[in-house]
């Protein structure tokens, strides 16, 4: 069994798997049915067997269900897993209604997470985004206190601006930035990615296929209960334009003898050795394809074709920025 290669999260961070397992889809995050728990746990176990130790969750995924699921999966394999937890998002009836980032709430959140996960220390703890109602200094300072208390090992941030990233890192060294990044989402290349590289902060890139847009498997029209209907990228003329643009990736993938998903992941990986593709999976059948993508090498010509076809602005509308 081939193991995935490791990368270092930032200049002074821990060694983790070069491919991360996003566990969100193992729970009902948008009000849909809960995936088969046995298959989800089996997926985590098989990922660990391949050396994919980075498990990403949020305390609001399925109102705590996701953390309890991971807790079951790693009960006898804690040393094999690196647990990343996001906090701060508030949901009601499956819909996001705001953020809660007051220090007293963070101290409450972490204890619930530790209990649900069945562990003593969270490896990477990060606010899911900043909302402006609580100073960055208070949020980061609180997580720094949790590190000193032994409840957290490393601090991360997610969906943040370059200015906020610099402020956060000045308060306490930030290990990782989690942010949406794909061929369809390149706006962070202007200032946020350069800031992370300058500061020596690792990048955990989620939504590599732009919520399925780049998989070549999107079927139209979307079902009425599809969560993507909330995003402007999947609405009206935007959707028609974007599906046509995704055909370019599909054709390039066919020429290379791989899937569009593999090509999308390989492109993210190729952006730097400090960047980890974070791929959501809930079934073991997805693992071989995604692991194989990590070994793909893109030629200069292929990179140029992709960068030209998916230059900033070529995909219309937003997705993760609206969450």
């Amino acid at each position: 069994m081939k193991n995935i290669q490791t990368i270092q999260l930032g200049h002074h961070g821990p060694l983790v798997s070069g491919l991360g397992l996003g566990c969100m889809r193992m729970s009902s995050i948008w009000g849909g049915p809960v995936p088969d728990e046995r298959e989800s746990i089996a997926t985590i176990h098989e990922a660990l067997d391949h050396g994919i130790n980075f498990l990403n969750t949020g305390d609001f995924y399925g109102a705590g269900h996701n953390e309890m699921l991971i807790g079951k999966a790693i009960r006898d394999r804690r040393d094999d897993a690196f647990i990343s937890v996001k906090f701060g998002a508030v949901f009601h009836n499956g819909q996001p209604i705001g953020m809660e980032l007051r220090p007293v709430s963070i101290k409450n959140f972490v204890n619930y997470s530790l209990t649900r996960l069945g562990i003593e220390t969270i490896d990477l703890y990060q606010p899911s985004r900043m909302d402006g109602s609580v100073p960055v200094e208070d949020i980061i300072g609180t997580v720094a206190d949790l590190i000193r208390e032994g409840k957290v090992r490393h601090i991360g941030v997610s969906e943040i601006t370059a200015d906020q990233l610099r402020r956060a890192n000045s308060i306490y060294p930030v290990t990782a930035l989690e942010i949406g990044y794909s061929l369809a989402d390149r706006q962070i290349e202007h200032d946020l990615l350069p800031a992370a590289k300058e500061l020596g902060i690792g990048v955990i890139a989620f939504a590599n296929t732009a919520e399925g847009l780049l998989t070549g498997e999107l079927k139209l029209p979307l079902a009425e209960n599809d969560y993507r209907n909330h995003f402007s990228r999947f609405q009206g003329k935007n959707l028609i334009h974007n599906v046509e643009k995704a055909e370019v990736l599909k054709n390039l993938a066919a020429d290379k003898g791989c899937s569009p998903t593999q090509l999308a992941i390989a492109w993210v990986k190729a952006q730097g050795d400090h960047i980890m593709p974070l791929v959501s999976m809930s079934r073991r059948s997805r693992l071989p394809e995604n692991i194989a993508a990590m070994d793909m090498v893109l030629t200069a010509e292929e990179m140029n074709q992709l960068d030209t076809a998916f230059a900033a602005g070529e995909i219309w509308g937003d997705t993760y920025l609206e969450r």
Side-chain angles (χ1 to χ4, degrees), residues 230-248:
H230 296 289
F231 305 144
S232 62
R233 175 165 297 171
F234 294 94
Q235 297 172 2
K237 293 181 179 179
N238 286 354
L239 178 59
I240 296 172
H241 167 85
N242 294 336
V243 169
E244 291 177 352
K245 179 61 69 171
E247 284 294 309
V248 176

Side-chain angles (χ1 to χ4, degrees), residues 148-215:
R148 286 185 278 269
E149 292 174 18
K151 295 180 178 180
V152 172
R153 288 196 175 91
H154 304 279
I155 186 168
V157 292
S158 179
E159 300 193 36
I160 195 172
T161 67
D163 177 62
Q164 290 170 333
L165 182 63
R166 294 182 189 280
R167 287 170 59 193
N169 193 65
S170 70
I171 299 158
Y172 193 92
V174 174
T175 296
L177 160 69
E178 183 179 326
I179 194 77
Y181 189 37
S182 72
L183 281 163
D185 295 288
R186 304 185 61 177
Q187 59 270 30
I188 63 173
E189 292 176 344
H190 177 65
D191 55 2
L192 187 54
L193 281 186
K197 189 170 184 178
E198 173 195 336
L199 297 170
I201 296 170
V203 177
I204 301 162
F206 68 83
N208 301 163
T209 65
E211 303 292 344
L213 177 64
L214 303 179
T215 62

Side-chain angles (χ1 to χ4, degrees), residues 51-265:
I52 301 175
N53 70 337
F54 191 97
L55 307 181
N56 183 266
T57 185
D59 62 8
F60 48 93
Y61 289 175
H65 170 270
N66 207 249
E67 289 180 318
M68 290 188 287
L69 175 73
I70 292 173
K72 291 180 182 179
I74 66 167
R75 186 168 296 154
D76 299 318
R77 304 189 63 171
R78 176 64 183 101
D79 292 341
D80 295 337
F82 183 96
I83 308 298
S84 170
V85 177
K86 291 187 293 295
F87 66 86
V90 181
F91 277 66
H92 179 67
N93 293 335
Q95 297 299 319
I97 60 173
M99 298 294 298
E100 176 52 78
L101 296 169
R102 291 175 299 166
V104 66
S105 297
I106 296 173
K107 293 176 181 178
N108 187 44
F109 293 155
V110 74
N111 289 322
Y112 278 116
S113 288
L114 289 170
T115 298
R116 287 190 290 256
L117 288 162
I119 60 179
E120 296 181 354
T121 307
I122 294 170
D123 297 304
L124 182 69
Y125 201 51
Q126 52 192 331
S128 58
R129 66 167 31 177
M130 304 292 178
D131 70 346
S133 65
V134 180
V136 174
E137 291 78 7
D138 290 353
I139 300 168
I140 301 302
T142 300
V143 180
D145 288 342
L146 297 177
I147 291 175
R148 286 185 278 269
E149 292 174 18
K151 295 180 178 180
V152 172
R153 288 196 175 91
H154 304 279
I155 186 168
V157 292
S158 179
E159 300 193 36
I160 195 172
T161 67
D163 177 62
Q164 290 170 333
L165 182 63
R166 294 182 189 280
R167 287 170 59 193
N169 193 65
S170 70
I171 299 158
Y172 193 92
V174 174
T175 296
L177 160 69
E178 183 179 326
I179 194 77
Y181 189 37
S182 72
L183 281 163
D185 295 288
R186 304 185 61 177
Q187 59 270 30
I188 63 173
E189 292 176 344
H190 177 65
D191 55 2
L192 187 54
L193 281 186
K197 189 170 184 178
E198 173 195 336
L199 297 170
I201 296 170
V203 177
I204 301 162
F206 68 83
N208 301 163
T209 65
E211 303 292 344
L213 177 64
L214 303 179
T215 62
E217 300 174 1
L218 193 65
K219 306 297 182 184
L220 300 183
L222 297 179
E224 288 187 7
N225 63 347
D226 193 313
Y227 71 92
R228 291 172 291 192
N229 286 312
H230 296 289
F231 305 144
S232 62
R233 175 165 297 171
F234 294 94
Q235 297 172 2
K237 293 181 179 179
N238 286 354
L239 178 59
I240 296 172
H241 167 85
N242 294 336
V243 169
E244 291 177 352
K245 179 61 69 171
E247 284 294 309
V248 176
L249 183 67
K250 194 172 182 179
N251 293 335
L252 290 173
D255 291 341
K256 193 172 178 64
C258 66
S259 71
T261 294
Q262 287 178 313
L263 195 53
I265 294 171

